């Protein structure tokens, strides 16, 4: 566990990364105001290990613990 200044901002950031990887999807139904988040259970079979690491490598690095970002 770790403490962040703005946990909602961190949650949105992390969900955005997972959406970018294709691991989850988020939709907003027209009738409701809430978002629906779905897990792509087929995702592990749709992405190779090499592609996963390539996509993760281009993600922004954290600034708090620089030694972990190398």
């Amino acid at each position: 566990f770790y403490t962040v200044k703005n946990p909602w901002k961190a949650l949105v950031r992390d969900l955005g990364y997972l959406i970018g990887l294709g691991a989850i999807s988020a939709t907003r139904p027209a009738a409701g105001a809430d978002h629906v988040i779905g897990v792509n259970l087929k995702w592990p079979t749709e992405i190779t290990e090499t592609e996963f690491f390539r996509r993760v490598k281009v993600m922004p690095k954290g600034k708090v613990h620089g030694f972990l970002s190398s």
Side-chain angles (χ1 to χ4, degrees):
F1 295 101
Y2 60 95
T3 305
V4 293
K5 289 182 183 178
N6 188 339
W8 288 110
K9 185 176 178 183
L11 176 65
V12 170
R13 178 200 64 217
D14 293 346
L15 289 176
Y17 290 152
L18 290 171
I19 291 169
L21 287 172
I24 66 170
S25 63
T27 57
R28 188 173 192 177
D34 294 333
H35 288 82
V36 176
I37 297 174
V39 178
N40 182 1
L41 297 177
K42 294 181 182 181
W43 178 73
T45 62
E46 295 171 352
I47 190 168
T48 64
E49 185 176 351
T50 305
E51 179 64 15
F52 171 77
F53 284 118
R54 186 192 68 75
R55 290 184 188 183
V56 170
K57 189 172 185 172
V58 298
M59 290 180 176
K61 305 292 184 233
K63 298 175 185 170
V64 177
H65 301 291
F67 65 94
L68 295 174
S69 299
S70 56

